[in-house]
Amino acid sequence: MTMAEWALLVLLGALSLASALGLLLSRNAVYAALFLVLNFSVGAVIYLLFNAPFLAVTQVAVYAGAIMVLFVFVIMLLGAERLAPAENPPGLAYQRPLAIILAVALLAVAAWALLSGAQIEPSPSVAPRPDSSPQAMGMWLFGPYLLPLQVVALLLLAAMVGALVLSRKS
Amino acid sequence: MDATSFVTFLSAALFVIGALGVLLRRSALLIFMSVELMLNAANLAFVTFAHRWGQLDGQVTVFFIMTIAAAEVAVGLALIVTIFRTKRSTSVDELAQLRG
């Protein structure tokens, strides 16, 4: 990676973490949704840096586009943008400190696993750079991954029918 | 530190922030968004490793994860809307009974 790519990657990482923290701490559901849109868009740029242009476009179209529009639509439909101030529910006073301790433990274990794993597998100096254009991805999706693709299509249909049934006025 | 490790650490940090969101937030919508953040952190790791090993399988997996996330959001938001109709709230603390 060149120096400029490194600088971009560090900047994107900082933006990604900041927007995730914004989602965690925001007091307004619409702001939280917009922080998540920013996070997904930053993720799309990281995908571009890592030789995944098809996924970058899919990320913007499906995640930052369709999914987050659905979120914002539901937030505004329900009028649920104002969130109650964070407070422990009665009888669960230990939950917040416990959650923070568990999160720190998870982060520590992940960091330890990554650090010790890096010594086992040295990075290949020259990794092959496969063709990851949309055409090549299509050959993969309709070649070796044809069956999962069909299953996922069926799943999407089932989810669509399920959403219709659930939101129908009874 | 190479780029792969950097993004893997970023992915782990994003996952932990998402997990914290699931544990700390009380609104079902915010919990749901935190789950999306965790899914996205996993996607980031997949793409990084696909790049590291020069193979496309990781990218294809990310495509499937995105599809399943879309299906999950459709059903989940329909559930939240249905619950809001009876409870007038999206707080998970209100959901203490199975009857609608």
Side-chain angles (χ1 to χ4, degrees):
Chain A
M1 272 195 143
T2 64
M3 210 57 210
E5 279 176 331
W6 256 110
L8 181 61
L9 192 59
V10 171
L11 179 72
L12 289 172
L15 250 179
S16 185
L17 279 182
S19 56
L21 285 174
L23 167 71
L24 182 63
L25 301 173
S26 170
R27 291 263 63 91
N28 184 313
V30 177
Y31 293 169
L34 292 179
F35 274 125
L36 198 52
V37 170
L38 176 64
N39 191 282
F40 288 160
S41 311
V42 169
V45 182
I46 297 180
Y47 290 175
L48 277 181
L49 272 179
F50 280 90
N51 189 29
F54 174 70
L55 287 181
V57 174
T58 317
Q59 169 100 347
V60 172
V62 175
Y63 256 125
I67 291 182
M68 291 321 291
V69 164
L70 203 57
F71 263 107
V72 175
F73 179 74
V74 166
I75 292 168
M76 294 187 168
L77 177 77
L78 301 183
E81 59 267 11
R82 289 223 164 273
L83 300 169
E87 58 187 24
N88 283 313
L92 282 174
Y94 57 87
Q95 198 206 16
R96 181 168 294 259
L98 185 65
I100 291 171
I101 291 170
L102 284 177
V104 170
L106 180 60
L107 191 62
V109 168
W112 176 78
L114 293 174
L115 284 176
S116 58
Q119 292 154 3
I120 299 168
E121 289 285 354
S123 200
S125 53
V126 184
R129 211 177 146 82
D131 177 18
S132 60
S133 62
Q135 291 95 323
M137 288 292 285
M139 294 309 287
W140 273 79
L141 282 175
F142 287 93
Y145 285 91
L146 184 60
L147 181 64
L149 191 73
Q150 302 289 333
V151 173
V152 154
L154 204 63
L155 183 83
L156 270 181
L157 180 68
M160 193 179 77
V161 174
L164 280 176
V165 169
L166 277 174
S167 54
R168 183 190 49 183
K169 285 231 192 318
S170 52
Chain B
M1 184 188 259
D2 60 348
T4 308
S5 324
F6 178 80
V7 180
T8 316
F9 277 112
L10 175 66
S11 158
L14 287 177
F15 191 90
V16 169
I17 293 176
L20 261 179
V22 170
L23 290 174
L24 291 181
R25 302 311 297 255
R26 315 255 40 111
S27 158
L29 282 163
L30 261 290
I31 290 177
F32 211 15
M33 282 193 234
S34 303
V35 172
E36 294 301 314
L37 186 66
M38 290 160 80
L39 276 172
N40 211 52
N43 282 352
L44 204 55
F46 267 115
V47 170
T48 317
F49 291 133
H51 176 74
R52 160 82 150 64
W53 296 107
Q55 294 192 339
L56 279 187
D57 300 75
Q59 295 196 17
V60 175
T61 311
V62 171
F63 181 76
F64 287 130
I65 294 176
M66 282 180 182
T67 321
I68 289 168
E72 173 220 335
V73 164
V75 175
L77 285 179
L79 274 174
I80 290 177
V81 170
T82 314
I83 291 168
F84 189 86
R85 281 209 191 117
T86 51
K87 295 279 180 194
R88 294 276 124 208
S89 156
T90 58
S91 169
V92 287
D93 294 323
E94 309 275 326
L95 306 175
Q97 57 184 21
L98 282 173
R99 265 176 71 246

